[in-house]
Amino acid sequence: MAFELPPLPYPKDGLEPHMSAKTLEFHHGKHHKAYVDTLNKLVQDTPLAGQSLEQIIKATAKDESKTPIFNNAGQVWNHTFFWNGMKPRGGGAPSGDLAKRIDQAFGGLDKFKEQFKQAATTQFGSGWAWLVLDGGTLKVTKTANAMNPLVQGGTPLLTCDVWEHAYYLDFQNRRPDFVQTFLDHLVSWDFVAKNLSGAH
Ligand code: MN3
């Protein structure tokens, strides 16, 4: 069965004024959709057709002849995860076990935000910043292009797309302002907490 573009978990204007409907129209409706359509074409009539996205990502990550499939599968997964990691009136502070784990790992929410912003703004070119669970500890990482922590054995908890197409319409070249806005106003801590509890 072919992959489908999952609908956004909120209306297209649901993240305004922090992320515009226009950005979501292009980023979800054009970029994400193109990855889905290209992936379907690439796996059609191959042994990968019918496999899950996670299976395809793991099966193609280390095979250079399959880089186009890996890139499109990774981008489909990463974008869906990114949309789910935001919500209208997001941001604020996490609570419960997640808040405790962030304090333990980073020394507080502000310190976590600093590290995440640092990773997001120093990823040269296109890529992703992540909060992951790795060896029982919360860590901030970054990946290039379509790479995903699943390949490296970590459990993704949250991601921010730092490809230029993610922020150029709203912030032009100001990636640091985009990442700060993501952290302060868009992050869905409920989503992060759900991923953390599922990973135990
Ligand atoms: Mn993107």
Side-chain angles (χ1 to χ4, degrees), residues 62-154:
K62 294 182 175 93
D63 182 347
E64 269 181 38
S65 71
K66 300 217 165 55
T67 297
I69 296 177
F70 173 79
N71 284 341
N72 283 280
Q75 287 294 82
V76 171
W77 195 100
N78 292 358
H79 279 90
T80 302
F81 198 71
F82 176 51
W83 307 137
N84 287 327
M86 297 185 287
K87 66 175 191 181
R89 294 171 302 284
S95 58
D97 183 46
L98 174 59
K100 210 168 24 170
R101 301 284 291 268
I102 287 179
D103 285 346
Q104 283 166 356
F106 304 104
L109 180 63
D110 288 344
K111 293 265 194 275
F112 157 74
K113 286 187 181 183
E114 269 173 40
Q115 267 198 44
F116 192 91
K117 194 174 170 186
Q118 174 76 7
T121 53
T122 58
Q123 170 54 41
F124 185 77
S126 297
W128 302 80
W130 302 86
L131 174 65
V132 298
L133 182 68
D134 183 3
T137 305
L138 299 193
K139 288 180 187 163
V140 165
T141 62
K142 56 186 174 175
T143 61
N145 301 319
M147 187 44 78
N148 178 305
L150 285 172
V151 173
Q152 293 137 352

Coordinates of all heavy atoms in Angstrom, one line a residue, residues 62-154:
K62 N 22.4 2.5 5.4 CA 23.8 2.2 5.2 C 24.1 1.7 3.8 O 25.2 1.1 3.6 CB 24.3 1.3 6.3 CG 24.2 2.0 7.6 CD 24.7 1.2 8.8 CE 24.7 2.1 10.1 NZ 23.5 1.9 10.8
D63 N 23.2 1.8 2.9 CA 23.4 1.3 1.5 C 23.4 2.5 0.6 O 22.3 3.1 0.3 CB 22.2 0.3 1.2 CG 22.3 -0.3 -0.2 OD1 23.2 0.2 -1.0 OD2 21.6 -1.3 -0.4
E64 N 24.5 2.8 0.1 CA 24.6 4.0 -0.7 C 23.8 4.0 -2.0 O 23.4 5.0 -2.5 CB 26.1 4.3 -1.1 CG 26.8 5.2 -0.1 CD 28.2 5.5 -0.4 OE1 28.5 5.7 -1.6 OE2 29.0 5.6 0.5
S65 N 23.6 2.8 -2.5 CA 22.8 2.7 -3.7 C 21.3 3.0 -3.5 O 20.6 3.2 -4.4 CB 22.9 1.2 -4.3 OG 22.2 0.3 -3.5
K66 N 21.0 3.0 -2.2 CA 19.6 3.3 -1.8 C 19.4 4.7 -1.2 O 18.4 5.0 -0.6 CB 19.0 2.2 -0.9 CG 19.1 0.8 -1.6 CD 17.9 0.0 -1.2 CE 17.7 -1.2 -2.1 NZ 18.9 -2.1 -2.1
T67 N 20.4 5.6 -1.3 CA 20.3 6.9 -0.7 C 19.1 7.7 -1.1 O 18.4 8.3 -0.2 CB 21.6 7.7 -1.0 OG1 22.7 7.0 -0.4 CG2 21.5 9.1 -0.4
P68 N 18.7 7.7 -2.3 CA 17.4 8.4 -2.7 C 16.2 7.9 -1.9 O 15.4 8.7 -1.4 CB 17.2 8.2 -4.2 CG 18.6 7.9 -4.7 CD 19.3 7.1 -3.6
I69 N 16.1 6.6 -1.7 CA 15.0 6.0 -1.0 C 15.1 6.4 0.5 O 14.1 6.9 1.1 CB 14.9 4.5 -1.1 CG1 14.7 4.1 -2.6 CG2 13.9 3.9 -0.2 CD1 14.7 2.6 -2.8
F70 N 16.3 6.3 1.1 CA 16.5 6.7 2.5 C 16.2 8.2 2.7 O 15.5 8.5 3.6 CB 18.0 6.5 2.9 CG 18.2 7.0 4.3 CD1 17.9 6.3 5.4 CD2 18.8 8.2 4.4 CE1 18.1 6.8 6.7 CE2 19.0 8.8 5.7 CZ 18.6 8.1 6.8
N71 N 16.6 9.0 1.8 CA 16.4 10.5 2.0 C 14.9 10.8 2.0 O 14.4 11.6 2.8 CB 17.1 11.3 0.8 CG 18.6 11.4 1.1 OD1 19.1 11.2 2.2 ND2 19.3 11.7 0.0
N72 N 14.2 10.2 1.1 CA 12.7 10.5 1.0 C 12.0 9.9 2.2 O 11.1 10.5 2.7 CB 12.2 10.1 -0.4 CG 12.5 11.1 -1.4 OD1 11.9 12.2 -1.5 ND2 13.6 10.8 -2.2
A73 N 12.3 8.6 2.5 CA 11.7 8.0 3.7 C 12.0 8.7 5.0 O 11.1 9.0 5.8 CB 12.1 6.5 3.8
G74 N 13.2 9.1 5.1 CA 13.6 9.9 6.3 C 12.8 11.2 6.4 O 12.3 11.6 7.5
Q75 N 12.7 11.9 5.3 CA 12.1 13.2 5.3 C 10.6 13.0 5.5 O 10.0 13.9 6.2 CB 12.3 13.9 3.9 CG 13.7 14.4 3.8 CD 14.0 15.5 4.8 OE1 14.3 15.3 6.0 NE2 13.9 16.8 4.4
V76 N 10.0 11.9 5.0 CA 8.5 11.7 5.3 C 8.4 11.5 6.8 O 7.5 12.1 7.5 CB 8.0 10.5 4.6 CG1 6.6 10.1 5.1 CG2 8.0 10.7 3.1
W77 N 9.2 10.6 7.4 CA 9.1 10.4 8.9 C 9.4 11.6 9.7 O 8.6 12.0 10.6 CB 10.1 9.3 9.2 CG 9.9 8.6 10.6 CD1 9.3 7.4 10.8 CD2 10.3 9.2 11.9 NE1 9.2 7.2 12.2 CE2 9.8 8.2 12.8 CE3 10.9 10.3 12.3 CZ2 10.0 8.4 14.2 CZ3 11.1 10.6 13.7 CH2 10.6 9.6 14.6
N78 N 10.4 12.3 9.4 CA 10.9 13.5 10.2 C 9.8 14.6 10.1 O 9.5 15.2 11.2 CB 12.2 14.0 9.6 CG 13.4 13.1 9.8 OD1 13.2 12.0 10.4 ND2 14.5 13.5 9.3
H79 N 9.2 14.8 9.0 CA 8.2 15.9 8.9 C 7.0 15.5 9.7 O 6.4 16.4 10.4 CB 7.8 16.2 7.4 CG 8.8 17.1 6.8 ND1 9.9 16.6 6.1 CD2 8.9 18.4 6.7 CE1 10.7 17.6 5.6 NE2 10.1 18.7 6.0
T80 N 6.5 14.3 9.6 CA 5.3 13.9 10.4 C 5.6 14.1 11.9 O 4.8 14.6 12.7 CB 4.9 12.5 10.1 OG1 4.7 12.3 8.7 CG2 3.7 12.0 10.9
F81 N 6.8 13.7 12.3 CA 7.2 13.8 13.7 C 7.3 15.3 14.1 O 6.9 15.7 15.2 CB 8.6 13.2 13.9 CG 8.9 12.8 15.3 CD1 8.3 11.8 16.0 CD2 9.9 13.5 16.0 CE1 8.6 11.5 17.3 CE2 10.3 13.2 17.3 CZ 9.6 12.2 17.9
F82 N 7.8 16.1 13.2 CA 7.9 17.6 13.5 C 6.5 18.2 13.7 O 6.3 19.0 14.6 CB 8.6 18.2 12.3 CG 8.8 19.7 12.3 CD1 9.3 20.4 13.4 CD2 8.4 20.4 11.1 CE1 9.4 21.8 13.3 CE2 8.6 21.8 11.1 CZ 9.1 22.5 12.2
W83 N 5.6 17.9 12.8 CA 4.2 18.4 12.9 C 3.6 18.0 14.2 O 3.0 18.8 14.9 CB 3.3 18.0 11.8 CG 3.7 18.2 10.4 CD1 3.6 17.2 9.3 CD2 4.4 19.3 9.8 NE1 4.2 17.8 8.2 CE2 4.6 19.0 8.4 CE3 4.7 20.6 10.3 CZ2 5.2 19.9 7.6 CZ3 5.3 21.5 9.4 CH2 5.6 21.2 8.1
N84 N 3.8 16.8 14.6 CA 3.1 16.3 15.8 C 3.8 16.9 17.1 O 3.2 16.9 18.2 CB 3.2 14.8 15.9 CG 2.2 14.1 14.9 OD1 1.2 14.7 14.7 ND2 2.6 13.0 14.4
G85 N 5.0 17.4 16.9 CA 5.7 18.0 18.1 C 5.4 19.4 18.3 O 6.0 20.1 19.2
M86 N 4.4 20.0 17.5 CA 3.9 21.3 17.8 C 2.4 21.3 18.0 O 1.7 20.4 17.6 CB 4.3 22.2 16.5 CG 5.7 22.3 16.2 SD 6.1 23.5 14.9 CE 5.5 22.5 13.4
K87 N 2.0 22.4 18.6 CA 0.5 22.5 18.8 C 0.2 24.0 19.0 O 1.0 24.8 19.4 CB 0.0 21.7 20.0 CG 0.6 22.2 21.3 CD -0.1 21.5 22.5 CE 0.2 22.1 23.8 NZ -0.3 21.4 25.0
P88 N -1.1 24.4 18.7 CA -1.5 25.7 18.9 C -1.4 26.0 20.4 O -1.7 25.2 21.3 CB -3.0 25.7 18.6 CG -3.2 24.6 17.6 CD -2.2 23.5 18.1
R89 N -0.9 27.2 20.8 CA -0.7 27.6 22.1 C 0.3 26.7 22.8 O 0.1 26.3 24.0 CB -1.9 27.8 23.0 CG -2.8 28.9 22.5 CD -4.2 28.9 23.1 NE -4.9 27.7 22.9 CZ -5.5 27.4 21.8 NH1 -5.5 28.2 20.8 NH2 -6.2 26.2 21.7
G90 N 1.3 26.2 22.0 CA 2.3 25.3 22.6 C 3.4 26.1 23.4 O 3.1 27.3 23.8
G91 N 4.5 25.5 23.6 CA 5.5 26.1 24.4 C 5.3 26.0 25.9 O 4.7 24.9 26.3
G92 N 5.6 27.0 26.7 CA 5.5 26.8 28.1 C 6.5 25.9 28.7 O 7.6 25.7 28.1
A93 N 6.1 25.2 29.8 CA 7.0 24.3 30.5 C 6.5 22.9 30.5 O 5.2 22.7 30.7 CB 7.3 24.9 31.8
P94 N 7.3 21.9 30.5 CA 6.9 20.5 30.7 C 6.5 20.3 32.1 O 6.9 21.1 33.0 CB 8.0 19.7 30.2 CG 9.2 20.6 30.4 CD 8.8 22.0 30.2
S95 N 5.9 19.2 32.4 CA 5.6 18.9 33.9 C 5.9 17.4 34.2 O 6.4 16.7 33.3 CB 4.1 19.1 34.1 OG 3.3 18.3 33.2
G96 N 5.7 17.1 35.4 CA 5.9 15.7 35.8 C 7.2 15.1 35.6 O 8.3 15.8 35.7
D97 N 7.2 13.8 35.2 CA 8.5 13.1 35.0 C 9.4 13.8 33.9 O 10.6 13.8 34.1 CB 8.1 11.6 34.5 CG 9.4 10.8 34.4 OD1 10.2 10.8 35.3 OD2 9.5 10.1 33.3
L98 N 8.7 14.3 32.8 CA 9.5 14.9 31.8 C 10.3 16.1 32.3 O 11.5 16.3 32.0 CB 8.6 15.3 30.6 CG 9.3 16.1 29.5 CD1 10.4 15.3 28.8 CD2 8.2 16.5 28.4
A99 N 9.6 16.9 33.1 CA 10.3 18.1 33.7 C 11.5 17.7 34.5 O 12.5 18.3 34.5 CB 9.3 18.9 34.5
K100 N 11.3 16.6 35.3 CA 12.3 16.1 36.2 C 13.5 15.6 35.3 O 14.7 15.9 35.6 CB 11.8 15.0 37.1 CG 12.5 14.9 38.4 CD 11.7 14.0 39.4 CE 10.9 12.9 38.8 NZ 10.3 11.9 39.7
R101 N 13.2 14.9 34.3 CA 14.3 14.4 33.4 C 15.0 15.5 32.7 O 16.2 15.4 32.5 CB 13.7 13.4 32.4 CG 12.9 12.2 33.0 CD 13.8 11.1 33.6 NE 14.6 10.4 32.5 CZ 14.2 9.3 32.0 NH1 13.0 8.8 32.3 NH2 14.9 8.7 31.1
I102 N 14.3 16.5 32.3 CA 15.0 17.7 31.7 C 15.9 18.4 32.7 O 17.1 18.7 32.4 CB 14.0 18.6 31.0 CG1 13.4 18.0 29.8 CG2 14.6 20.0 30.7 CD1 12.4 18.8 29.0
D103 N 15.4 18.5 33.9 CA 16.3 19.1 35.0 C 17.5 18.3 35.2 O 18.6 18.9 35.3 CB 15.5 19.3 36.3 CG 14.5 20.4 36.2 OD1 14.6 21.2 35.3 OD2 13.6 20.4 37.1
Q104 N 17.4 17.0 35.3 CA 18.5 16.1 35.6 C 19.5 16.2 34.4 O 20.7 16.2 34.6 CB 18.0 14.7 35.7 CG 17.4 14.4 37.1 CD 16.6 13.0 37.1 OE1 16.5 12.4 36.0 NE2 16.1 12.7 38.2
A105 N 19.0 16.1 33.2 CA 19.9 16.0 32.0 C 20.6 17.3 31.7 O 21.7 17.3 31.2 CB 19.2 15.5 30.8
F106 N 19.9 18.4 31.8 CA 20.4 19.7 31.3 C 20.6 20.8 32.4 O 21.2 21.8 32.1 CB 19.4 20.2 30.2 CG 19.2 19.3 29.1 CD1 18.0 18.6 29.0 CD2 20.2 19.0 28.1 CE1 17.8 17.7 28.0 CE2 20.0 18.1 27.1 CZ 18.8 17.4 27.0
G107 N 20.0 20.5 33.6 CA 20.1 21.6 34.6 C 19.1 22.6 34.5 O 19.3 23.8 34.9
G108 N 17.9 22.2 33.9 CA 16.8 23.1 33.8 C 16.3 23.4 32.4 O 17.0 23.1 31.5
L109 N 15.1 23.9 32.3 CA 14.4 24.1 31.0 C 15.2 25.1 30.1 O 15.4 24.9 28.9 CB 13.0 24.5 31.1 CG 12.2 24.8 29.9 CD1 12.1 23.5 29.0 CD2 10.8 25.3 30.2
D110 N 15.7 26.2 30.8 CA 16.4 27.2 30.1 C 17.7 26.7 29.5 O 18.1 27.0 28.4 CB 16.7 28.4 30.9 CG 15.4 29.2 31.2 OD1 14.4 29.0 30.5 OD2 15.4 30.0 32.2
K111 N 18.4 25.9 30.3 CA 19.6 25.3 29.8 C 19.4 24.3 28.6 O 20.1 24.2 27.7 CB 20.3 24.5 30.9 CG 20.8 25.4 32.0 CD 22.3 25.8 31.8 CE 22.9 26.4 33.0 NZ 22.7 27.9 33.1
F112 N 18.2 23.5 28.7 CA 17.9 22.7 27.6 C 17.6 23.5 26.4 O 18.1 23.2 25.3 CB 16.6 21.9 27.9 CG 15.9 21.4 26.7 CD1 16.4 20.4 25.9 CD2 14.7 22.1 26.2 CE1 15.8 20.0 24.7 CE2 14.1 21.7 25.0 CZ 14.7 20.6 24.3
K113 N 16.9 24.6 26.5 CA 16.6 25.4 25.3 C 17.9 26.0 24.7 O 18.0 26.0 23.5 CB 15.7 26.6 25.7 CG 14.2 26.2 26.0 CD 13.4 27.5 26.2 CE 11.9 27.2 26.5 NZ 11.1 28.4 26.6
E114 N 18.8 26.4 25.5 CA 20.1 26.9 25.0 C 20.8 25.8 24.2 O 21.3 26.1 23.1 CB 21.0 27.2 26.2 CG 20.9 28.7 26.7 CD 21.8 28.9 27.9 OE1 22.9 28.3 28.0 OE2 21.3 29.6 28.8
Q115 N 20.8 24.6 24.8 CA 21.5 23.5 24.0 C 20.8 23.1 22.7 O 21.5 22.9 21.7 CB 21.6 22.2 24.9 CG 22.8 22.1 25.7 CD 23.0 20.7 26.3 OE1 22.9 19.7 25.5 NE2 23.4 20.6 27.5
F116 N 19.5 23.1 22.8 CA 18.7 22.8 21.6 C 18.9 23.8 20.5 O 19.1 23.5 19.3 CB 17.2 22.6 22.0 CG 16.4 22.0 20.9 CD1 16.2 20.6 20.9 CD2 15.8 22.8 19.9 CE1 15.4 20.0 19.9 CE2 15.0 22.2 18.9 CZ 14.8 20.8 18.9
K117 N 18.9 25.1 21.0 CA 19.1 26.2 20.0 C 20.5 26.2 19.4 O 20.7 26.4 18.2 CB 18.8 27.5 20.7 CG 18.6 28.7 19.8 CD 18.2 30.0 20.6 CE 18.3 31.2 19.7 NZ 18.0 32.4 20.4
Q118 N 21.4 25.9 20.3 CA 22.8 25.8 19.8 C 22.9 24.7 18.7 O 23.6 24.9 17.7 CB 23.7 25.5 21.0 CG 25.2 25.2 20.7 CD 26.0 26.4 20.3 OE1 25.4 27.5 20.5 NE2 27.2 26.3 19.9
A119 N 22.3 23.5 19.0 CA 22.4 22.4 18.0 C 21.7 22.9 16.7 O 22.2 22.6 15.6 CB 21.7 21.2 18.5
A120 N 20.6 23.5 16.8 CA 19.8 23.9 15.6 C 20.4 24.9 14.8 O 20.3 24.9 13.6 CB 18.4 24.4 16.1
T121 N 21.1 25.8 15.5 CA 21.7 26.9 14.7 C 23.1 26.6 14.2 O 23.6 27.3 13.3 CB 21.8 28.2 15.5 OG1 22.4 28.0 16.8 CG2 20.4 28.8 15.8
T122 N 23.8 25.6 14.7 CA 25.1 25.2 14.2 C 25.1 24.0 13.3 O 26.1 23.6 12.8 CB 26.0 24.8 15.4 OG1 25.5 23.8 16.1 CG2 26.3 26.0 16.3
Q123 N 23.8 23.5 13.0 CA 23.7 22.5 11.9 C 24.0 23.2 10.6 O 23.1 24.0 10.2 CB 22.4 21.8 12.0 CG 22.1 20.9 10.8 CD 23.1 19.9 10.6 OE1 23.6 19.3 11.5 NE2 23.5 19.7 9.3
F124 N 25.1 23.0 10.0 CA 25.5 23.7 8.8 C 24.7 23.2 7.6 O 24.6 22.0 7.4 CB 27.0 23.5 8.5 CG 27.4 24.3 7.3 CD1 27.6 25.7 7.4 CD2 27.6 23.7 6.1 CE1 28.0 26.5 6.3 CE2 28.0 24.5 5.0 CZ 28.2 25.9 5.1
G125 N 24.0 24.1 6.9 CA 23.1 23.6 5.8 C 21.8 23.0 6.4 O 21.4 23.4 7.4
S126 N 21.3 22.0 5.6 CA 20.0 21.5 6.0 C 20.1 20.4 7.0 O 21.1 19.7 7.0 CB 19.4 20.9 4.7 OG 19.1 22.0 3.8
G127 N 19.1 20.2 7.8 CA 19.1 19.2 8.8 C 18.0 19.4 9.9 O 17.0 20.1 9.7
W128 N 18.2 18.7 11.0 CA 17.3 18.6 12.1 C 18.0 18.7 13.4 O 19.0 18.2 13.6 CB 16.5 17.3 12.0 CG 15.8 17.1 10.7 CD1 16.4 16.7 9.5 CD2 14.4 17.3 10.4 NE1 15.5 16.6 8.5 CE2 14.2 17.0 9.0 CE3 13.4 17.7 11.1 CZ2 13.0 17.1 8.4 CZ3 12.1 17.9 10.5 CH2 11.9 17.6 9.2
A129 N 17.3 19.4 14.4 CA 17.7 19.3 15.8 C 16.8 18.4 16.5 O 15.6 18.4 16.2 CB 17.7 20.7 16.4
W130 N 17.3 17.6 17.5 CA 16.5 16.6 18.2 C 16.7 16.6 19.7 O 17.8 16.9 20.2 CB 17.0 15.2 17.7 CG 16.9 14.9 16.2 CD1 17.9 15.2 15.3 CD2 15.9 14.3 15.5 NE1 17.5 14.9 14.1 CE2 16.2 14.3 14.2 CE3 14.6 13.8 15.9 CZ2 15.4 13.7 13.2 CZ3 13.8 13.2 14.9 CH2 14.2 13.2 13.6
L131 N 15.7 16.2 20.4 CA 15.8 15.8 21.8 C 15.5 14.3 21.7 O 14.5 13.8 21.1 CB 14.7 16.4 22.6 CG 14.6 15.9 24.1 CD1 15.9 16.2 24.9 CD2 13.4 16.5 24.8
V132 N 16.5 13.5 22.2 CA 16.4 12.0 22.1 C 16.6 11.4 23.5 O 17.2 12.0 24.4 CB 17.5 11.4 21.1 CG1 17.3 11.9 19.7 CG2 18.9 11.7 21.6
L133 N 16.1 10.2 23.6 CA 16.5 9.3 24.7 C 17.5 8.4 24.3 O 17.3 7.6 23.3 CB 15.2 8.6 25.2 CG 15.5 7.7 26.5 CD1 15.7 8.6 27.7 CD2 14.2 6.8 26.7
D134 N 18.7 8.5 24.9 CA 19.8 7.7 24.4 C 20.5 7.1 25.6 O 21.1 7.8 26.5 CB 20.8 8.6 23.6 CG 22.0 7.8 23.0 OD1 22.0 6.5 23.2 OD2 22.8 8.4 22.4
G135 N 20.5 5.7 25.8 CA 21.1 5.1 26.9 C 20.5 5.5 28.2 O 21.1 5.7 29.2
G136 N 19.2 5.8 28.2 CA 18.4 6.2 29.4 C 18.5 7.6 29.8 O 18.0 8.0 30.8
T137 N 19.2 8.4 29.0 CA 19.4 9.8 29.3 C 18.9 10.7 28.2 O 19.0 10.3 27.0 CB 21.0 10.1 29.4 OG1 21.5 9.2 30.4 CG2 21.2 11.5 29.9
L138 N 18.3 11.8 28.5 CA 17.9 12.8 27.5 C 19.1 13.5 27.0 O 20.0 14.0 27.7 CB 16.9 13.8 28.1 CG 15.6 13.3 28.7 CD1 14.7 14.5 28.9 CD2 14.9 12.3 27.8
K139 N 19.2 13.6 25.6 CA 20.3 14.3 25.0 C 19.8 15.1 23.8 O 18.8 14.8 23.2 CB 21.3 13.3 24.4 CG 22.1 12.6 25.4 CD 23.1 11.6 24.8 CE 23.7 10.8 25.9 NZ 24.4 9.5 25.4
V140 N 20.5 16.2 23.5 CA 20.2 17.0 22.3 C 21.2 16.6 21.2 O 22.4 16.5 21.5 CB 20.4 18.5 22.6 CG1 20.5 19.4 21.4 CG2 19.2 19.0 23.5
T141 N 20.7 16.4 20.0 CA 21.6 16.0 18.9 C 21.1 16.8 17.7 O 20.1 17.5 17.7 CB 21.5 14.5 18.6 OG1 20.2 14.2 18.2 CG2 22.0 13.7 19.7
K142 N 21.9 16.7 16.6 CA 21.5 17.3 15.3 C 21.9 16.3 14.3 O 22.8 15.5 14.4 CB 22.2 18.6 15.1 CG 23.7 18.6 15.2 CD 24.3 20.0 15.1 CE 25.8 20.0 15.3 NZ 26.4 21.3 15.1
T143 N 21.1 16.3 13.2 CA 21.5 15.4 12.0 C 21.4 16.3 10.8 O 20.7 17.3 10.7 CB 20.5 14.3 11.9 OG1 19.1 14.8 11.7 CG2 20.5 13.4 13.1
A144 N 22.1 15.8 9.7 CA 22.2 16.5 8.5 C 21.1 15.9 7.5 O 20.8 14.7 7.6 CB 23.5 16.4 7.8
N145 N 20.6 16.7 6.7 CA 19.7 16.3 5.6 C 18.5 15.5 6.1 O 17.7 16.0 6.8 CB 20.5 15.6 4.5 CG 21.6 16.5 3.9 OD1 21.3 17.6 3.7 ND2 22.8 15.9 3.7
A146 N 18.4 14.2 5.7 CA 17.3 13.4 6.1 C 17.6 12.4 7.3 O 16.7 11.6 7.6 CB 16.7 12.6 4.9
M147 N 18.8 12.5 7.9 CA 19.2 11.5 8.9 C 18.3 11.6 10.1 O 17.7 12.7 10.4 CB 20.6 11.8 9.2 CG 21.2 10.7 10.2 SD 20.9 9.0 9.8 CE 22.0 8.7 8.4
N148 N 18.2 10.5 10.8 CA 17.2 10.4 11.9 C 17.9 9.5 13.0 O 18.5 8.6 12.7 CB 16.0 9.6 11.3 CG 14.9 9.4 12.3 OD1 15.2 8.8 13.4 ND2 13.7 9.8 12.1
P149 N 17.7 9.9 14.3 CA 18.3 9.2 15.4 C 17.9 7.7 15.4 O 18.7 6.9 16.0 CB 17.8 9.9 16.6 CG 17.3 11.2 16.1 CD 16.9 11.1 14.7
L150 N 16.8 7.3 14.8 CA 16.4 5.9 14.8 C 17.5 5.0 14.3 O 17.8 3.9 14.7 CB 15.2 5.7 13.9 CG 13.8 6.1 14.4 CD1 12.8 6.0 13.2 CD2 13.4 5.3 15.6
V151 N 18.2 5.6 13.3 CA 19.3 4.8 12.7 C 20.5 4.6 13.6 O 21.2 3.6 13.6 CB 19.8 5.6 11.4 CG1 21.0 4.9 10.8 CG2 18.7 5.7 10.4
Q152 N 20.7 5.6 14.5 CA 21.8 5.5 15.4 C 21.5 4.9 16.8 O 22.3 4.8 17.6 CB 22.4 6.9 15.7 CG 23.0 7.5 14.4 CD 22.6 9.0 14.2 OE1 21.8 9.5 14.8 NE2 23.3 9.6 13.2
G153 N 20.2 4.4 16.9 CA 19.8 3.7 18.1 C 19.2 4.5 19.2 O 18.8 3.9 20.2
G154 N 19.0 5.8 19.0 CA 18.3 6.6 20.0 C 16.8 6.6 19.7 O 16.3 6.2 18.7

